Amino acid sequence: MNFSRRETLGLGLGAMALTVLPMGASAATVDELIAEFTGGADMADTGVTLTAPEIAENGNTVPISVEAEGASEIMVLATGNPTPPVGTFKFGPLAGSRSASTRIRLATTQEVVAIAKLEDGTFARTSAEIKVTIGGCGG
Amino acid sequence: MAEGVTPRVKVPKKAEAGEVITIKTLISHPMESGQRKDSDGNVIPQSIINRFTCEFNGENVIDIKMEPAMSTNPYFEFDAKVPEAGDFKFTWYDDDGSIYEEVKSVAVG
């Protein structure tokens, strides 16, 4: 097979698009999910705490806890998972504190994002980088 | 209904009125994420618990929406205020429509 210069360039671009697209697509969904949750509002950098291990040996059960003073809802997203949403915690009138702990699955080393919706209608965001030694999504 | 689903909840038996107590819940459930494949290469369909709620005497404490990224045997720890004696009601909602419930009473005094 003989490739002209133009064809070779095209192939190269196509290959690049293929490798870049899946990541781009997943990032877009994270942004979309955040926009859906906040309605496009600005997010403060303080006001929500995400406690997670720096290194998780087993991606199948990574213990995390979220806390935000005066939050009505906290959403957690795993940006590197095939499906980024992890869960949304809604606090009712009898919640003793605005915090909760759980265990989540992480496919690879990635950034986990927590966004809190505060009672005054504002939003706060935080994130944590978690290193995963063994992936948790059956890959 | 998924096999062998047993909820386990840890709640103090007694509390002072107005006290904040910590509740731990665990339910055994495979939480099939829909990402795994069986030995023949077929995708195992998603089967998870998608929602968990906790109520005290009918008033909401916490309402958690769950996605496939929650681990097998989902575990939660959270705090609840106990204004009077009564019952905590825990409810898990499965994708297949099953509902698992557990009730724990708390005495005040």
Side-chain angles (χ1 to χ4, degrees), chain A:
Chain A
M1 265 161 79
N2 285 320
F3 288 115
S4 71
R5 183 180 134 86
R6 185 164 294 185
E7 279 166 345
T8 317
L9 266 176
L11 270 178
L13 277 179
M16 257 177 68
L18 271 181
T19 47
V20 171
L21 262 182
M23 275 179 75
S26 154
T29 5
V30 170
D31 288 343
E32 277 164 28
L33 286 161
I34 294 174
E36 196 183 309
F37 186 68
T38 63
D42 285 342
M43 290 171 283
D45 288 336
T46 53
V48 54
T49 320
L50 171 67
T51 314
E54 224 169 277
I55 297 175
E57 277 176 18
N58 184 352
N60 270 314
T61 55
V62 183
I64 61 153
S65 59
V66 286
E67 184 173 7
E69 194 72 37
S72 56
E73 279 181 50
I74 302 179
M75 177 173 76
V76 180
L77 297 174
T79 57
N81 273 8
T83 54
V86 173
T88 309
F89 302 85
K90 269 185 211 166
F91 300 101
L94 282 181
S97 68
R98 307 296 158 149
S99 65
S101 308
T102 186
R103 295 175 192 147
I104 66 171
R105 287 184 180 132
L106 297 176
T108 54
T109 296
Q110 59 179 281
E111 192 184 19
V112 175
V113 178
I115 296 167
K117 182 183 188 179
L118 306 179
E119 269 156 358
D120 58 10
T122 58
F123 294 89
R125 168 200 168 117
T126 189
S127 63
E129 180 81 23
I130 303 178
K131 287 199 174 76
V132 176
T133 336
I134 306 169
C137 287

